[in-house]
Amino acid sequence: MTRAALSCLVLLLAACDGGAAKSGEPPAEPAKKVEVPPPAKAEPAAPPAPKYPQGEADEACAKIVVVAWQGAEGAEPTVTRDKAAAQARAEELRTKLSSGTGFAELAGESDEPKTKAKGGAMGTYAKDKWPEKYAPLKDVVFALGIGETSAAVEHPHGFVVAQRCKVEKVHARHILVRYAGAKNAEAKIKRSKEEAQKLATELHAEASKAGADFEALAKKRSEDSSAERGGDLGSVGRGMFAPAFETAAFALKPGELSAVIETDFGFHVIQRVD
């Protein structure tokens, strides 16, 4: 072999050896597998709070507005709209109530005198003592949530829009002083309205004295059928009293006395029990 050929062979072997792992070096480690954590489970979304809280199953408070048509039961002679117009007006009022208009604001347009005088308040009734007059509204009201407004419901007196209210009660006693011509006053009552107010003021002063026994005073001086019970009216829900009486009674704290309150029945002195 010539010297030149031998040199080429040495260079070739050196080039090939340069790419091999050197003796004594550890083999390269394999790439580590990266553990990918599983995706976090999404928590189930909480159900949205109901827009209208559920009412009690066995008792309900309701407000109503009645739109009568000409010829409807109990409709005033001034009512001249036909049935279709009454229904359209009732739906219009329902839309206003559902959009937040206060019930008292629209109750003045009601064609039902009794509830109209109380700002639309129909009253608070147990399910098994629902008044027959409002029987068509019973299932409608109990299906509503507190503050929810019904569709217009046909009733003998007209189309009725009802709104359910929260059941709130007050337990009160009272002393009633009547005058001639007051609602439900007996013929034997001869005093004037001014005399009745003066007497009620005197009884209020007596009931306000330290240690006064309101129950005994009511038994002796009240001119209401509740007198025999010491003026005790029991626990009564909203919408059941005359508006002025109700406002005064609910504003009291237990044990407190109201000022002298006037209603169509006469003059009252009220004590809240609880």
Side-chain angles (χ1 to χ4, degrees):
M1 181 178 297
T2 66
R3 183 177 294 180
L6 182 58
S7 298
C8 289
L9 179 60
V10 171
L11 290 173
L12 180 60
L13 290 174
C16 293
D17 186 59
K22 294 182 179 178
S23 176
E25 290 184 359
E29 293 185 6
K32 291 183 178 180
K33 184 178 180 181
V34 179
E35 294 289 337
V36 179
K41 291 183 178 179
E43 292 293 329
K51 185 176 179 181
Y52 299 102
Q54 186 175 359
E56 297 185 28
D58 58 353
E59 193 169 26
C61 169
K63 300 175 184 179
I64 61 172
V65 60
V66 181
V67 182
W69 61 83
Q70 190 175 40
E73 187 176 323
E76 298 288 339
T78 53
V79 175
T80 58
R81 68 175 72 88
D82 62 17
K83 193 171 183 179
Q87 184 173 18
R89 178 57 179 159
E91 287 294 350
E92 182 183 342
L93 294 177
R94 183 199 65 78
T95 300
K96 289 183 178 180
L97 289 168
S98 297
S99 64
T101 302
F103 208 98
E105 185 177 336
L106 298 180
E109 300 186 40
S110 179
D111 294 320
E112 206 282 304
K114 183 178 179 181
T115 54
K116 179 179 180 178
K118 297 192 291 182
M122 194 195 89
T124 303
Y125 298 96
K127 202 168 190 177
D128 59 353
K129 294 182 179 179
W130 196 260
E132 184 61 32
K133 177 180 178 179
Y134 300 116
L137 304 178
K138 180 178 177 180
D139 290 341
V140 173
V141 171
F142 275 95
L144 297 174
I146 304 299
E148 190 174 6
T149 303
S150 75
V153 179
E154 187 173 345
H155 185 277
H157 293 267
F159 284 96
V160 181
V161 177
Q163 189 176 88
R164 189 169 183 174
C165 38
K166 182 180 179 181
V167 172
E168 296 177 293
K169 294 186 175 183
V170 62
H171 183 183
R173 292 190 178 98
H174 78 139
I175 297 169
L176 172 61
V177 179
R178 299 184 188 271
Y179 55 86
K183 189 174 182 178
N184 293 349
E186 297 179 1
K188 66 180 182 180
I189 302 292
K190 302 297 183 182
R191 72 174 68 90
S192 68
K193 187 174 183 178
E194 292 73 21
E195 289 170 334
Q197 186 173 19
K198 182 181 177 181
L199 177 55
T201 301
E202 292 170 357
L203 292 173
H204 180 274
E206 189 174 347
S208 299
K209 291 177 181 177
D213 187 336
F214 190 96
E215 185 176 354
L217 186 60
K219 281 183 177 180
K220 183 178 179 181
R221 304 302 300 273
S222 183
E223 295 171 340
D224 182 57
S225 60
S226 65
E228 61 185 22
R229 303 188 300 276
D232 197 332
L233 299 169
S235 186
V236 180
R238 286 194 180 275
M240 307 304 287
F241 290 131
F245 189 106
E246 178 174 302
T247 298
F250 274 95
L252 297 172
K253 295 178 181 178
E256 285 186 338
L257 293 184
S258 71
V260 174
I261 303 298
E262 181 182 357
T263 70
D264 292 342
F265 299 93
F267 293 91
H268 310 255
V269 179
I270 307 167
Q271 181 187 56
R272 183 164 183 169
V273 179
D274 57 39

